[in-house]
Amino acid sequence: MDAFNGLGLNLGNLSRLSSAQTRSISPENLSGDKGAGGMATEGLGAEPASDLGQGWKVSPCVRIKAGETFTIADIEGSGAIQQMWMTPTGVWRHSILRIYWDDQEHPSVECPVGDFFGMHWGKFAPLVSQPICVNPSSAFNCYWEMPFRRRCRMTLSNIDHEDMILYYQVNYTLTDVPEDCAYFHAQFRRTNPLPYKDVFTIVDGITGRGHYVGTAMGWGVNNANWWGEGEIKFYYDGDKKWPTICGTGTEDYFCGSYNFENKSTNEYQEYCTPYAGLHQVLRPDGLYASQTRFGMYRWHVMDPVRFETDLRITMQALGWRKNHRRYLPLQDDICAVSYWYQTLPTAPFPGLPDRDYLEVI
């Protein structure tokens, strides 16, 4: 039997010993070096720790000034990110997370930090799932395993006009990475409003070999009546007009049914499961919060969509007309983060919208 490398952890192999080395990067150990944690003498906690001195929470967080990019992690060698935790302040849509693998010039992950963790509308909602969880009041946690062979570089860009504070910790391992391990990717897209009779593109332009592992979607409804009749379509490996996979409805894709409705209360019912959920429903308050908005996720952990050469995914925006006899193409505010693993090189992503377009209004 080959030696265990410490990757692909689950309850069935957690007892196995390996030669993998555990490391962690935080404001108290910016390099992740062994035996180098808690040594700071300067930092945002220096004043509260002034009576106690070095080793007493001198640098628990960092300030990222408006317009600046901060390097969260820069790791040399072979290994994998195994867990991330962070609590960014400010406007989550205005903090852009990027991850670069093995010195590739363009990122494999590029996404507003809130959306990456399923917080599409700038407000906290509990999200309890296997690869991502969000806990009170703004604790963003990620358990997607992210292997790399030579280098991992992770940054956060503050495109807001005000400074932000970031508490964070990146837990990783240095170990051998098998040849058949692909690289983690995530991309953000938003269309507001969706043009009439257009479909929303979740992701397009993926080239290479890999498998699709998840969708986090935010949906702002601009119409009365039910909005989730649209089908998701997966086009891959040369599909043109017709997809290989076609879903039956929006709520069905997110493993719900019949309008996400609790028949006892006649209201939308939030839910979280390990692999799918409707974790956020923002209801109108009778004043400025005038639109209903939703946050949903679907992780293809047990059913990844495998592709050999290319992948494109779309979602229809489809509701009912008032008489419920015909569908109504919708013009909603829709955003999504797509998650997948693939071989390098990564095709460059479309440019992110500017700060004003990203803003939740």
Side-chain angles (χ1 to χ4, degrees):
M1 180 181 294
D2 293 336
F4 183 46
N5 63 2
L7 301 182
L9 292 172
N10 57 68
L11 290 177
N13 63 16
L14 197 56
S15 63
R16 294 190 64 187
L17 298 175
S18 75
S19 58
Q21 302 175 47
T22 297
R23 296 289 184 268
S24 181
I25 291 175
S26 73
E28 287 281 15
N29 186 351
L30 295 169
S31 66
D33 290 342
K34 188 177 184 306
M39 298 172 61
T41 56
E42 297 179 356
L44 295 182
E47 183 175 349
S50 58
D51 292 337
L52 299 171
Q54 189 178 20
W56 289 90
K57 203 170 180 177
V58 174
S59 182
C61 57
V62 296
R63 175 179 284 109
I64 306 177
K65 294 183 178 180
E68 289 191 352
T69 294
F70 176 76
T71 298
I72 295 174
D74 194 343
I75 305 165
E76 298 279 355
S78 174
I81 306 298
Q82 295 187 307
Q83 194 264 352
M84 297 190 302
W85 163 87
M86 58 182 66
T87 65
T89 64
V91 179
W92 295 337
R93 273 274 172 88
H94 292 169
S95 298
I96 310 301
L97 176 67
R98 293 183 176 92
I99 305 178
Y100 304 79
W101 304 121
D102 293 359
D103 292 314
Q104 185 173 251
E105 290 186 8
H106 47 270
S108 293
V109 173
E110 185 173 50
C111 184
V113 70
D115 293 271
F116 182 86
F117 291 92
M119 300 295 105
H120 305 289
W121 304 114
K123 295 181 181 297
F124 165 77
L127 195 166
V128 183
S129 76
Q130 186 184 46
I132 286 180
C133 63
V134 179
N135 303 323
S137 60
S138 60
F140 297 168
N141 295 273
C142 171
Y143 293 90
W144 293 111
E145 189 170 82
M146 305 180 190
F148 52 92
R149 291 179 172 84
R150 294 194 306 275
R151 188 183 182 192
C152 163
R153 185 165 65 91
M154 187 182 307
T155 67
L156 194 70
S157 297
N158 179 11
I159 64 171
D160 201 40
H161 60 275
E162 295 184 357
D163 296 353
M164 64 173 290
I165 299 296
L166 179 68
Y167 290 80
Y168 71 93
Q169 189 153 358
V170 178
N171 296 317
Y172 63 100
T173 184
L174 297 174
T175 189
D176 295 331
V177 174
E179 291 184 5
D180 60 358
C181 281
Y183 294 84
F184 181 81
H185 289 67
Q187 182 186 130
F188 171 82
R189 295 197 180 206
R190 182 197 193 187
T191 303
N192 180 31
L194 186 70
Y196 186 65
K197 292 187 178 180
D198 273 10
V199 296
F200 177 72
T201 298
I202 294 174
V203 73
D204 193 6
I206 295 178
T207 59
R209 184 186 181 201
H211 43 269
Y212 188 79
V213 296
T215 308
M217 179 169 280
W219 200 297
V221 177
N222 293 327
N223 195 71
N225 299 316
W226 172 236
W227 49 273
E229 286 301 315
E231 296 176 335
I232 192 167
K233 293 180 168 68
F234 290 78
Y235 304 80
Y236 53 92
D237 296 346
D239 290 342
K240 300 300 183 186
K241 184 176 181 180
W242 306 111
T244 296
I245 298 174
C246 181
T248 60
T250 305
E251 84 275 43
D252 307 329
Y253 171 66
F254 293 101
C255 300
S257 69
Y258 290 105
N259 313 347
F260 296 127
E261 183 180 347
N262 184 324
K263 299 299 183 181
S264 298
T265 63
N266 297 120
E267 295 180 343
Y268 289 111
Q269 179 63 63
E270 296 93 327
Y271 63 95
C272 285
T273 74
Y275 304 124
L278 172 75
H279 60 286
Q280 186 168 48
V281 180
L282 294 178
R283 297 167 172 84
D285 66 358
L287 191 60
Y288 298 121
S290 59
Q291 304 302 116
T292 308
R293 291 170 171 160
F294 303 87
M296 303 163 283
Y297 64 91
R298 168 72 159 89
W299 311 135
H300 295 267
V301 173
M302 305 306 294
D303 59 339
V305 179
R306 301 167 182 88
F307 56 93
E308 293 293 325
T309 59
D310 57 272
L311 175 66
R312 173 169 61 98
I313 307 171
T314 65
M315 175 74 82
Q316 295 169 332
L318 202 61
W320 284 110
R321 296 184 186 275
K322 188 173 181 181
N323 59 16
H324 279 217
R325 294 193 182 96
R326 289 187 300 144
Y327 294 131
L328 173 65
L330 301 176
Q331 297 175 274
D332 288 341
D333 178 0
I334 308 173
C335 65
V337 179
S338 49
Y339 308 79
W340 73 97
Y341 290 88
Q342 71 155 89
T343 55
L344 296 183
T346 307
F349 293 174
L352 284 177
D354 63 21
R355 183 178 67 192
D356 291 344
Y357 190 92
L358 284 171
E359 185 177 357
V360 178
I361 298 177

